[in-house]
Amino acid sequence: MNKLYPDAAAALGGVLRDGMLIASGGFGLSGLPERLLDAVRDSGVKGLTFFSNNAGIDNEGIGKLLRTRQVKKMVSSYVGENKEFERQYLAGELEVEFCPQGTLAERMRAGGAGIPAFYTKTGVGTLVAEGKEIRSFDGPNGPEDYVMERGIFADLALVKAWKADETGNVVFRKTARNFNVPAATCGKVCVVEVEELVPAGSLDPDAIHLPGVYVQRMIVGAPYDKKIEFRTVRQREAA
């Protein structure tokens, strides 16, 4: 089975539709599936729900799709540094579900493992737990309350990787591994963009982070420009 497509538009052909649930990898500006997100924007699909650690920044990542008003709902743990996100949320134009970072990662992982729900102490007694089932379980310190969180089952997973072989075995680089792996596993269809494609058998089996069984389609997205979320400089000292 040939998983490699010539570009992002081709890789998403026949998959995109209005109202989709999309799990997107990335952490800040690290590991963002830039080419795939651009293709989603260019397709014009609307009413999308995104599961992502954050919504990028203005005009980067999912921020581009917010600008074009294609996103109906964001399920995220951090949404700072994005003025358009803030404007749409405060104006009631964007539905937002805040989810603790570890819980969001576990919700994706649970969906990928076929687990519909799980219990966690994170968020008990806060707004995060409102409207959710609370149960008491015996813990090391006696009975304690836990909130039920649901696994994420997305229609589509968009992922950015460092290397992949021709069969779809994937290696991520450093921070990009954080959310890309669980996001990849929870989508019915997983599309991966990679910086480098290598021959099958050339990757160390012990170094593979995402087995090819999870990957349906791939593109080579290189070259990439290294983007900096915050640029911090100091005053040049006088000569």
Side-chain angles (χ1 to χ4, degrees):
M1 178 180 179
N2 182 20
K3 299 181 179 181
L4 186 63
Y5 285 71
D7 54 43
L12 294 174
V15 175
L16 294 175
R17 56 177 172 78
D18 290 347
M20 290 192 82
L21 309 180
I22 301 177
S24 182
F27 190 90
L29 294 183
S30 175
L32 288 180
E34 301 174 39
R35 307 290 184 254
L36 295 171
L37 289 173
D38 285 348
V40 173
R41 177 200 59 195
D42 295 343
S43 74
V45 292
K46 296 181 179 179
L48 304 173
T49 295
F50 268 92
F51 303 97
S52 176
N53 177 64
N54 56 286
I57 60 176
D58 288 307
N59 296 319
E60 294 294 344
I62 299 172
K64 295 180 181 180
L65 294 164
L66 289 171
R67 287 284 180 187
T68 52
R69 309 299 295 274
Q70 292 169 264
V71 182
K72 178 185 71 174
K73 179 178 180 179
M74 283 294 311
V75 182
S76 299
S77 68
Y78 178 72
V79 294
E81 324 312 328
N82 194 319
K83 294 297 183 183
E84 179 61 15
F85 185 110
E86 178 184 13
R87 188 199 67 76
Q88 290 186 24
Y89 173 61
L90 294 177
E93 300 169 1
L94 177 68
E95 187 178 350
V96 177
E97 180 183 335
F98 289 109
C99 185
Q101 198 165 78
T103 301
L104 180 60
E106 178 62 12
R107 288 181 65 191
M108 291 182 179
R109 190 206 68 81
I115 299 170
F118 60 91
Y119 290 92
T120 176
K121 288 184 65 177
T122 304
V124 172
T126 72
L127 292 174
V128 170
E130 284 193 0
K132 299 175 183 176
E133 180 184 337
I134 305 295
R135 291 187 64 179
S136 180
F137 294 95
D138 287 333
N141 301 313
E144 296 180 285
D145 285 343
Y146 291 76
V147 58
M148 188 182 79
E149 296 283 359
R150 297 186 180 276
I152 291 172
F153 300 93
D155 299 311
L156 174 65
L158 304 179
V159 174
K160 163 71 185 303
W162 178 37
K163 290 183 180 182
D165 68 18
E166 296 161 333
T167 66
N169 293 312
V170 172
V171 178
F172 298 97
R173 189 170 185 272
K174 299 186 177 182
T175 305
R177 185 178 175 185
N178 285 4
F179 271 90
N180 274 296
V181 174
T185 64
C186 75
K188 293 178 182 177
V189 176
C190 175
V191 185
V192 180
E193 63 178 80
V194 301
E195 296 184 31
E196 181 181 355
L197 187 69
V198 299
S202 62
L203 295 176
D204 179 356
D206 286 336
I208 291 170
H209 300 136
L210 181 71
V213 68
Y214 287 105
V215 178
Q216 282 75 47
R217 303 183 180 193
M218 295 189 298
I219 64 164
V220 177
Y224 291 92
D225 295 325
K226 178 64 176 178
K227 296 180 174 64
I228 300 175
E229 195 166 349
F230 293 103
R231 188 180 297 275
T232 303
V233 299
R234 60 179 173 82
Q235 293 294 326
R236 184 184 298 275
E237 296 180 2

